[in-house]
């Protein structure tokens, strides 16, 4: 079955420290990969995508993600976390014209 | 500003009642989607539409119905057959059906549905 996994339900980081939110996928072919962020009682906002090319993708608000084909991973990273980065983060992959989402990772950045 | 508008923000359903959630977009997108979000389960696809007058079932379509009479509008009806409707419902759109195009989906701010 084609799927996306986010192995951590919650990630806690101190402000100013680097952060990583993990994502692995299991799909056939060459996937399109996405990261979205959701603030409380709001819709999802697009952060970045990997389609093809450079394995390091830069996105909004200083976030970046590294595509690793051999490890089938697409981890989200940021060099220096802000308290305002605290939110729910979703990894997603396109399969057959539809998006499949991971279950989400709650990021908490403490001052 | 272009975007997706969902209404109402909060909705309460009585037993045996059908309710309709509104979704309107002014992004000139062809494709539209409805998702259900439950805590700890991510987003699950209910229905999607590639074009006007066409729509397809997603992974959890039972107890739901949709229509796509206009490009801008994709209302979702939660029928009385949906026995566990309490959830956060999100509408999204994209320029083309995801996969056929690599553009991201744009989301509305959701409708939270609860049972009275």
């Amino acid at each position: 079955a084609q799927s996306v996994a986010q192995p951590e339900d919650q990630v806690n980081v101190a402000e100013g420290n680097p952060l990583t939110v993990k994502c692995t996928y299991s799909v056939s072919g060459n996937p399109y990969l996405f990261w979205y962020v959701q603030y409380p009682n709001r819709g999802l906002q697009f952060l970045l995508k990997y389609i093809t090319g450079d394995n390091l993708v830069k996105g909004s608000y200083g976030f970046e993600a590294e595509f690793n084909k051999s490890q089938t991973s697409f981890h989200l990273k940021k060099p220096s976390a802000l308290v305002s980065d605290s939110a729910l983060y979703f990894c997603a992959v396109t399969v057959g014209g539809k998006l499949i989402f991971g279950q989400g990772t709650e990021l908490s950045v403490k001052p | 500003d272009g975007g997706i508008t969902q209404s109402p923000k909060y909705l309460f359903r009585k037993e045996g009642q059908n309710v309709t959630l509104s979704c309107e977009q002014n992004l000139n997108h062809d494709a539209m989607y409805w998702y259900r979000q439950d805590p700890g389960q991510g987003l699950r696809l209910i229905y999607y539409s590639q074009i006007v007058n066409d729509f397809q079932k997603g992974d959890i379509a039972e107890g739901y119905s949709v229509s796509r009479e206009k490009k801008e509008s994709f209302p979702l009806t939660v029928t009385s057959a949906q026995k566990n409707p309490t959830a956060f419902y999100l509408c999204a759109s994209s320029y083309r059906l995801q996969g056929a195009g690599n553009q991201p989906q744009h989301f509305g701010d959701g409708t939270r549905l609860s049972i009275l």
Side-chain angles (χ1 to χ4, degrees), chain B residues 36-100:
Chain B
R36 171 177 171 141
Q37 184 178 13
D38 296 281
Q41 293 194 42
L43 277 69
R44 292 181 290 169
L45 183 63
I46 304 173
Y47 269 98
Y48 63 100
S49 168
Q50 296 186 62
I51 198 168
V52 174
N53 293 322
D54 178 74
F55 48 83
Q56 306 293 328
K57 292 181 179 180
D59 301 318
I60 56 164
E62 186 175 350
Y64 301 97
S65 65
V66 294
S67 62
R68 187 85 186 276
E69 297 177 359
K70 298 186 300 182
K71 186 175 184 177
E72 302 79 21
S73 179
F74 191 40
L76 173 74
T77 296
V78 183
T79 75
S80 57
Q82 173 50 246
K83 298 305 179 186
N84 183 24
T86 298
F88 191 50
Y89 291 87
L90 287 163
C91 179
S93 70
S94 63
Y95 179 59
R96 296 175 65 188
L97 188 68
Q98 204 81 39

Side-chain angles (χ1 to χ4, degrees), chain A residues 43-57:
Chain A
L44 276 66
Q45 296 177 30
F46 167 72
L47 278 179
L48 50 80
K49 65 180 179 183
Y50 174 82
I51 305 300
T52 187
D54 195 346
N55 289 341
L56 185 63
V57 178

Side-chain angles (χ1 to χ4, degrees), chain A residues 10-28:
Chain A
Q10 184 157 7
V11 170
N12 298 309
V13 177
E15 188 175 31
N17 283 1
L19 69 87
T20 298
V21 182
K22 296 179 181 178
C23 172
T24 59
Y25 63 91
S26 174
V27 300
S28 55

